[in-house]
């Protein structure tokens, strides 16, 4: 299982349409006679009981928060509140292909998914909470009983084999003698445990694994894929994406002709048949599940799949053979590589993933015991961030000794640099160099070109940070000193190089030059090496980290070690209000704390053509008056409200397809981006050349003229992750890409293997793909996944215009969503910040009344929350 939690807040009458829209209309398995729309479960603690299935009318009552037997409301119901929370129980594509090919595998997979859902519900029933008490003095208590619905599907919305369950937990729960509201924040924060249990439950299920082995199939224990079927999923996905894009287009046109209407199941089935026929003009459209299964088997045969001839032995270790301490140590390393702090739920999720990878094939009770034991060992080996025993299972209040040590070392080195006094440089002789800069930029240059050992330059989007760096490079050149610029990403380095007027490199490249090596799990090593001449630093040179807010703590420690060993000065340039690091961040926050007077905040905004928008952008950056910001943007025509998501995505696709290259379209999730890309490509069909069409392994069809992104750094081809291009041509040697920046001289050729693995359509992008870029116009999707930093970054890319697109029933609803987006800030800023946040979460959602004397951050980790005094620096590059 993978994915997050969905919160359904719509009308009960639309709930069935919501789940129906997720599958192909010909899928009649879950709507067969007598089966009902959804199965119902009643959960009390870890006890899960299956209740009678619900028909459409009963399901609507359940969604509404009514007792399905009496019709009475379960307590006080809020019209606009959350009706249920949902997770999807699914697996790799190849599991569904195996089920489509073999009836006995289908039966075993169905049963395994049901058992997985029940095991998830047992865990949720044990840990779900609600809040009781008067307003402002509420405390958390365990739930005594909760209701859940399970809706089974065997197809994707495009008609592909896709066995999955919608597991929906009602927001109305029973606790302390009355109906109350589920603590949805805790449910959301427990997603790692929920996903881990679901995945491991199916991976280790004896019946499912035996059915696969009987037909000669092997599982890759890390990915979970059926090795013999994995490659065939790509072909299904390619066609599936196109059918999905067709259905989106039909729905967009229909909604345009029927404003305020809602398509019913028959209309959706008609769209399904039409989309299927468009992509398979020589095929008969299936009208039943049996026909659909036959089509899947025929298609597998046409693709060249031949079923294994012999069964294989199902070899698995005994539970006693599992190295539980080893799994706990590996889990601790994985958790620490991804984040600064974790919860007991995170520990359980990681334990379940590792149990699945161990190869165990055992009954649910045995697997659960092993996973619980490994999780307990993870928790015991972790360091508590808070010195208290009332931390809820979903609050991230644990870290590891290594994670804590990295931050302490970073603090110590920053403090040491702050203790070495320096001076600003006199710029009176460099008037030509600083001509055109503002007073704040000149102040920044004076520090950057001086002798201070730690300098921080911070500023809003468009404040002119790179212009200050360009002037600094020229002044240092006159002083015969070097400035080496690095960025957390290679794409960011290339952008910085273009603005600064000199070379720039990825942080990873510089670290490698100085011998630093580490893997994805955070295992470090250091080797002796001779750096490339371009990486040489000496006393007085300036090492600049651009976009420093995105720098992770491990890389930061290594960069500071390089600066210490070479006696180079260090400058961090960025903005704490923009996107944080992927992983353990907070580097810029720590540097700002220790830089003191050498922290320059650029207060001007120079990017935008409209001075009023510059002021609005600063309000967004600070999170000030979000309601007023919304109203002003609405009056300016820079807020667009759509009635449905499909209309929102269609509008974004239209903006991407009809505009020139100097436009950015930004969405929150990769799923949204993929749908926008497909719709935009369809709109641009007349401008594309299908003669060089090729398919990627992710299922996208790419043609000459398409806008694409390279998704992996490749020094040999001189392309960077997230760089955008236009496909120029394709031949036997590979695909020729035309840069959006460098004109004819900016052509690159990538191999066919690279093109199929690492090219993707890029009419739209996520926020991380657009940070650092400046365009004429930006269009931004704002929704339930949007954070304050992503909204701010997206809405500050356009020089001329920035437009936010929301899905809402009314302007008031849209304003509420906007305000909520600017209140979301879950950036990982290191273990010290995590301790403070954990204490705040317990204060807000805690299990009992909290006194100020208890729960202060730092009592569980000596020295983490207390800033050390400045000390003399320690030189040397050793680990």
């Amino acid at each position: 299982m993978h994915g997050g939690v969905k919160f359904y807040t719509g009308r009960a009458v639309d709930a069935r349409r919501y789940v129906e829209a997720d599958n192909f209309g010909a899928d009649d398995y879950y709507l067969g006679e007598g089966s009902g729309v959804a199965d119902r479960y009643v959960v009390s603690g870890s006890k899960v009981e299956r209740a009678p299935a619900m028909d459409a009318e009963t399901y609507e009552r359940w969604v509404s928060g009514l007792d399905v037997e009496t019709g009475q409301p379960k307590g006080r119901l809020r019209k606009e509140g959350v009706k249920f929370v949902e997770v999807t129980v699914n697996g790799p594509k190849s599991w569904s292909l195996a089920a489509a090919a073999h009836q006995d595998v289908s039966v075993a997979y169905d049963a395994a998914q049901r058992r997985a859902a029940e095991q998830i519900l047992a865990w949720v029933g044990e840990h779900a909470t609600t809040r009781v008490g008067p307003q402002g003095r509420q405390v958390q208590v365990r739930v005594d009983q909760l209701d859940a619905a399970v809706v089974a599907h065997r197809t994707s919305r495009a008609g592909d084999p896709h066995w999955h369950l919608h597991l929906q937990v009602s927001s109305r729960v029973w606790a302390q003698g009355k109906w109350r509201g589920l603590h949805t924040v805790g449910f959301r924060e427990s997603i790692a445990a929920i996903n881990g249990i679901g995945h491991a439950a199916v991976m280790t299920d004896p019946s499912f694994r035996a059915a696969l082995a009987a037909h000669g199939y092997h599982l890759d224990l890390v990915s979970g894929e059926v090795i013999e079927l994995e490659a065939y999923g790509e072909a299904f996905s390619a066609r599936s994406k196109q059918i999905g894009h067709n259905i989106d287009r039909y729905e967009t046109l229909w909604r345009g002709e029927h404003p305020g209407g809602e398509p019913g199941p028959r209309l959706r089935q008609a769209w399904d048949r039409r989309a299927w026929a468009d992509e398979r003009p020589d095929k008969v459209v299936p009208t039943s599940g049996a026909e659909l299964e036959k089509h899947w088997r025929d298609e597998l045969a046409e693709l060249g799949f031949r079923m294994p001839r012999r069964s294989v032995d199902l070899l698995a270790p005994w539970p006693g053979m599992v190295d539980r301490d080893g799994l706990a140590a590996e889990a601790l390393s994985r958790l620490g590589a991804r984040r600064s702090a974790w919860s007991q739920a995170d520990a359980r999720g990681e334990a379940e993933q590792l149990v699945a990878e161990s190869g165990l094939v055992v009954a649910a009770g045995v697997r659960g015991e092993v996973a619980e034991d490994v999780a307990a060992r993870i928790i015991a080996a972790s360091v508590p961030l808070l010195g208290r025993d009332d931390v809820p299972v979903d609050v991230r209040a644990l870290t590891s000794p290594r994670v804590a040590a990295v931050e302490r070392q970073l603090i110590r080195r920053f403090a040491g640099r702050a203790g070495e006094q320096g001076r600003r440089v006199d710029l009176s002789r460099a008037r030509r160099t600083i001509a055109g800069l503002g007073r704040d930029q000149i102040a920044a240059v004076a520090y950057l070109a001086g002798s201070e050992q730690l300098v921080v330059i911070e500023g809003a989007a468009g404040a002119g940070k790179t212009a200050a760096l360009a002037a600094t490079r020229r002044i240092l050149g006159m002083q015969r000193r070097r400035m080496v610029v690095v960025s957390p990403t290679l794409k960011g380095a290339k952008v910085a190089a273009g603005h600064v007027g000199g070379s720039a490199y990825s942080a990873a490249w510089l670290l490698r030059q100085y011998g630093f090596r580490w893997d994805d799990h955070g295992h470090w090593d250091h080797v002796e090496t001779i750096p490339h001449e371009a990486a040489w630093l000496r006393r007085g040179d300036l090492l600049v980290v651009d976009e420093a807010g995105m720098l992770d703590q491990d890389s930061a420690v290594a960069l500071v070690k390089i600066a210490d060993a070479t006696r180079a000065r260090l400058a961090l340039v960025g903005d704490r209000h923009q996107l944080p690091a992927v992983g353990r961040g907070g580097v810029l926050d720590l540097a700002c704390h220790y830089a003191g007077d050498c922290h320059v905040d650029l207060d001007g905004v120079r990017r935008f053509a409209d001075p009023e928008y510059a002021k609005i952008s600063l309000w967004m950056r600070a999170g000030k008056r979000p309601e007023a910001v919304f109203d002003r943007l609405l009056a300016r025509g820079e807020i667009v409200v759509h009635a449905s998501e499909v209309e929102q995505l269609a509008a974004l696709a239209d903006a991407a397809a009809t505009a020139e290259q100097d436009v950015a379209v930004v969405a929150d999730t990769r799923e949204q981006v993929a749908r926008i890309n497909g719709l935009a490509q369809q709109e641009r069909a007349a401008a594309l050349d299908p003669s060089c069409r090729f398919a990627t392994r992710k299922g996208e069809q790419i043609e000459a003229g398409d806008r694409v992104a390279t998704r992996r750094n490749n020094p040999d081809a001189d392309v960077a992750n997230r760089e955008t291009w236009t496909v120029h041509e394709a031949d036997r040697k590979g695909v020729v890409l035309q840069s959006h920046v460098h004109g004819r001289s900016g052509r690159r050729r990538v191999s066919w293997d690279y093109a199929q693995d690492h090219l993707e359509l890029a009419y739209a992008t996520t926020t991380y793909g657009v940070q650092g870029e400046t365009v004429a116009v930006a269009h931004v999707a704002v929704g339930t996944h949007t954070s304050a930093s992503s909204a701010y970054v997206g809405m500050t890319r356009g020089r001329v215009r920035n437009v936010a697109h929301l899905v809402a029933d009314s302007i008031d609803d849209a304003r509420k969503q906007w305000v909520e987006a600017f209140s979301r800030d879950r950036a990982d800023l290191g273990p010290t910040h995590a301790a403070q946040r954990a204490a705040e979460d317990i204060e807000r959602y805690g299990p009992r009344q909290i006194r100020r004397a208890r729960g202060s951050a730092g009592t569980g980790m000596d020295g983490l929350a207390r800033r050390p005094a400045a000390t003399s620096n320690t030189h040397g590059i050793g680990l």
Side-chain angles (χ1 to χ4, degrees):
M1 282 178 62
H2 57 85
V5 178
K6 294 181 180 178
F7 298 91
Y8 184 80
T9 59
R11 299 182 303 169
V13 71
D14 294 328
R16 184 182 179 192
R17 292 173 183 168
Y18 160 74
V19 292
E20 284 175 340
D22 176 67
N23 78 310
F24 192 69
D27 183 353
D28 60 354
Y29 290 94
Y30 78 107
L31 287 177
E33 255 186 67
S35 67
V37 171
D39 289 320
R40 178 174 167 244
Y41 291 86
V42 178
V43 184
S44 301
S46 60
K47 184 180 179 181
V48 180
E49 294 183 339
R50 191 165 179 173
M54 296 184 285
D55 58 20
E57 184 179 346
T58 306
Y59 177 67
E60 287 184 21
R61 285 203 302 270
W62 181 86
V63 173
S64 298
L66 304 179
D67 188 303
V68 297
E69 295 166 352
T70 66
Q72 296 300 309
K74 294 181 178 180
R76 189 178 66 178
L77 306 180
R78 292 175 53 203
K79 182 179 179 181
E80 297 181 355
V82 174
K83 305 300 190 300
F84 59 77
V85 293
E86 176 187 281
V87 294
T88 305
V89 180
N90 57 14
K93 183 82 167 181
S94 54
W95 293 3
S96 294
L97 291 178
H102 308 281
Q103 181 61 33
D104 59 328
V105 175
S106 172
V107 172
Y109 190 20
D110 280 337
Q113 285 195 331
R114 290 282 179 179
R115 286 190 285 270
E118 291 169 4
Q119 291 168 53
I120 291 170
L121 288 174
W123 189 90
V124 170
E126 280 191 289
H127 298 95
T129 60
T130 184
R131 284 169 287 178
V132 302
Q135 190 73 24
R137 290 184 293 165
Q138 291 183 322
V139 294
Q140 266 191 66
V141 297
R142 289 281 177 85
V143 166
D144 297 322
Q145 180 181 304
L146 57 82
D147 256 36
V150 172
V151 182
H153 288 164
R154 289 192 177 186
T155 66
S156 70
R157 62 195 292 269
D160 268 1
H162 180 37
W163 268 241
H164 62 288
L165 305 178
H166 292 268
L167 194 162
Q168 301 168 347
V169 176
S170 172
S171 63
R172 307 307 298 165
V173 297
W174 182 263
Q176 294 194 355
K178 62 185 296 187
W179 291 107
R180 306 175 188 274
L182 177 70
H183 178 44
T184 55
V185 172
F187 190 98
R188 182 193 65 206
E189 296 302 317
S190 299
I191 187 61
I194 292 169
N195 281 343
I197 292 169
H199 175 69
V202 181
M203 273 286 288
T204 63
D205 187 90
S207 298
F208 176 57
R209 293 293 299 276
L212 291 174
H215 290 282
Y217 294 119
H218 301 79
L219 284 190
D220 181 312
L221 295 180
V222 176
S223 68
E225 293 280 3
V226 177
I227 295 172
E228 292 79 3
L229 282 165
E230 182 177 4
Y232 297 94
E234 298 162 4
F236 276 84
S237 295
R239 188 204 62 245
S240 173
K241 285 180 182 292
Q242 191 57 50
I243 291 175
H245 299 327
N246 288 344
I247 295 171
D248 281 343
R249 191 174 76 249
Y250 306 152
E251 184 172 348
T252 301
L253 292 172
W254 184 89
R255 287 182 181 276
E257 297 169 357
H258 303 82
E262 195 65 35
R266 290 187 179 180
L267 183 57
R268 289 192 180 278
Q269 288 181 4
W271 290 339
D272 292 342
R273 291 192 294 271
R274 180 182 170 191
W276 179 283
D278 283 350
E279 295 305 310
R280 292 181 175 86
D282 57 335
K283 299 285 185 180
V284 177
V285 179
T287 57
S288 71
E291 288 185 11
L292 198 56
E293 279 192 335
K294 182 178 184 304
H295 275 282
W296 293 335
R297 290 191 291 270
D298 291 345
E299 185 147 357
L300 276 170
E302 290 173 8
L303 291 170
F305 173 68
R306 298 295 180 265
M307 296 181 186
R309 295 184 178 182
R310 298 180 181 178
S311 63
V312 296
D313 293 330
L314 183 56
L315 302 177
W318 292 99
M321 299 168 62
V322 175
D323 180 2
R324 302 186 183 197
D325 284 333
L327 293 186
E330 177 65 15
L332 212 61
S333 179
R334 288 189 185 186
L335 288 166
R338 291 198 298 265
R339 54 172 62 102
S340 298
W342 44 89
S343 65
Q344 298 174 52
D346 294 329
R348 177 61 185 269
E350 200 65 44
E352 293 279 4
Q353 294 287 348
L354 287 167
V355 167
E357 292 176 21
S358 74
L360 275 181
V361 180
V362 291
V366 178
R367 190 215 80 252
E369 184 277 326
V370 175
E372 285 179 7
D373 184 41
V374 173
R377 295 172 193 237
I378 296 169
I379 294 167
S382 299
V383 177
L385 289 166
L386 304 175
R388 57 195 304 165
D389 58 3
D390 61 347
V391 178
V393 68
D394 56 274
V395 172
R396 293 190 170 98
L398 300 170
T399 191
S400 71
R402 180 189 172 278
V403 170
V406 168
E407 179 163 283
R408 280 197 293 263
Q409 184 174 179
L410 190 59
I411 290 172
R412 186 171 63 249
R413 290 179 179 271
F414 279 160
R417 285 187 160 263
E420 295 187 11
Q421 298 298 318
R423 61 179 178 80
R424 299 172 57 183
V425 71
D426 182 2
L427 298 177
S428 59
R429 298 182 181 180
R431 292 178 181 174
R432 289 187 179 181
T433 305
I434 61 175
L437 298 183
R439 293 180 61 184
D440 53 349
Q441 291 172 301
I442 293 173
V445 173
Y447 280 108
L448 289 168
S451 59
E452 297 284 1
Q453 295 301 301
L454 178 63
V455 179
V456 175
I457 307 300
E458 197 172 13
K465 297 183 289 291
T466 50
L469 287 179
T472 301
R473 184 188 64 81
R474 293 192 292 269
I475 292 172
L476 289 176
M478 289 185 271
Q479 299 172 355
R480 297 188 178 181
R481 292 192 288 169
R482 294 191 67 207
M483 183 175 83
V484 175
V485 180
V486 298
S487 175
T489 66
L490 180 56
K491 178 188 175 183
K494 290 190 172 189
V495 172
H499 292 158
V500 174
S503 298
Y505 311 94
S506 71
W509 178 86
L510 186 71
L511 295 178
R512 191 165 187 83
Q513 294 303 311
Y514 281 88
F516 286 91
R517 309 285 188 271
W518 61 92
D519 62 24
D520 292 338
H521 293 168
H523 301 128
W524 285 71
D525 193 12
H526 181 257
V527 299
E528 294 298 327
T529 185
I530 299 176
H532 187 278
E533 184 180 355
W536 287 357
L537 288 163
R538 61 186 180 183
R539 187 184 184 95
D541 288 344
L542 181 64
L543 174 58
V544 175
V545 182
D546 193 29
E547 298 288 0
M550 298 177 68
L551 187 67
D552 66 276
Q553 289 197 1
D554 289 318
S555 298
V557 167
L559 287 171
V560 179
K561 285 184 176 182
I562 292 172
D564 289 349
T566 59
R567 301 292 291 163
R569 299 166 57 242
L570 180 66
L572 280 74
V573 180
D575 183 5
R576 285 174 287 175
H577 297 276
Q578 297 191 47
L579 294 176
V582 179
R584 304 194 326 270
V587 174
L588 191 56
D589 297 72
L590 292 173
C592 289
H593 180 86
Y594 288 99
D597 292 339
C598 299
H599 174 205
V600 180
D601 197 345
L602 305 182
D603 53 13
V605 179
R606 299 163 176 84
R607 171 176 297 171
F608 307 110
D610 183 354
E612 183 190 18
Y613 194 81
K615 294 179 181 178
I616 294 173
S617 75
L618 291 176
W619 290 345
M620 285 190 283
R621 179 178 185 246
K624 292 181 177 178
R625 302 174 61 197
E627 300 96 336
V629 169
F630 177 91
D631 291 337
R632 188 64 200 123
L633 292 175
L634 183 67
R636 290 166 55 92
E638 292 166 332
I639 293 280
V640 180
V641 180
H642 303 277
S644 66
E645 183 185 24
V646 71
E647 291 168 285
Q648 176 200 43
L649 300 183
L652 292 167
D654 182 65
T658 59
E660 298 298 326
Q661 305 287 7
D662 206 23
V663 170
V665 174
V666 186
D668 284 316
T669 67
R670 291 183 60 79
E671 179 187 4
Q672 290 174 315
V673 167
R675 291 176 67 181
I676 295 169
N677 284 336
L679 290 168
Q681 186 187 49
Q682 288 182 336
E683 291 192 30
R684 281 178 48 83
L688 304 179
D689 179 6
S691 64
C692 75
R693 177 186 298 169
F694 63 92
T696 69
R697 292 194 171 94
K698 293 180 180 178
E700 289 185 329
Q701 298 283 341
I702 295 178
E703 303 177 4
D706 267 323
R707 297 179 206 165
V708 296
T710 44
R711 289 312 313 271
R712 174 170 288 187
N713 295 340
N714 187 324
D716 294 334
D718 191 22
V719 298
N721 182 29
R722 298 188 187 275
E723 275 192 300
T724 54
W725 315 78
T726 298
V727 175
H728 180 67
E729 62 181 358
D731 54 31
R732 285 182 292 181
K733 294 181 180 180
V735 179
V736 178
L737 307 175
Q738 177 74 52
S739 172
H740 289 172
V741 178
H742 303 296
R744 292 185 60 83
S745 64
R747 287 185 182 173
R748 305 286 187 271
R749 181 187 295 275
V750 297
S751 68
W752 277 112
D753 282 342
Y754 183 95
Q756 291 177 318
D757 286 333
H758 307 301
L759 277 190
E760 66 181 23
L761 293 173
Y763 295 98
T765 183
T766 60
T767 318
Y768 274 95
V770 80
Q771 174 150 323
E773 292 188 1
T774 304
V775 296
V777 178
H779 293 268
V780 185
V782 176
T784 56
H785 296 282
T786 309
S787 66
S789 59
S790 59
Y792 170 61
V793 168
M795 290 295 289
T796 53
R797 297 306 95 193
R799 296 183 302 271
V800 179
R801 194 161 184 253
N802 296 274
V803 183
H805 296 255
L806 297 93
V807 178
D809 295 329
S810 64
I811 296 298
D812 288 341
D813 182 25
R815 185 184 293 105
K816 178 183 176 184
Q817 290 185 43
W818 177 270
V819 172
E820 288 175 349
F822 277 90
S823 68
R824 295 189 195 105
D825 179 18
R826 304 298 292 181
D828 187 335
L829 302 179
T832 300
H833 183 264
Q836 296 164 352
R837 172 165 285 166
E840 291 170 1
D841 286 346
I842 297 174
E843 190 78 32
R844 186 179 301 115
Y845 305 120
R848 58 175 179 262
Q849 289 295 318
I850 309 300
R851 305 299 178 192
R852 285 190 176 274
R854 301 196 58 192
S856 59
T859 56
M861 288 179 57
D862 185 37
L864 241 190
R866 293 185 289 276
R867 306 292 188 182
T871 60
S872 60
N873 205 355
T874 301
H875 305 300
I877 203 167
L879 290 170

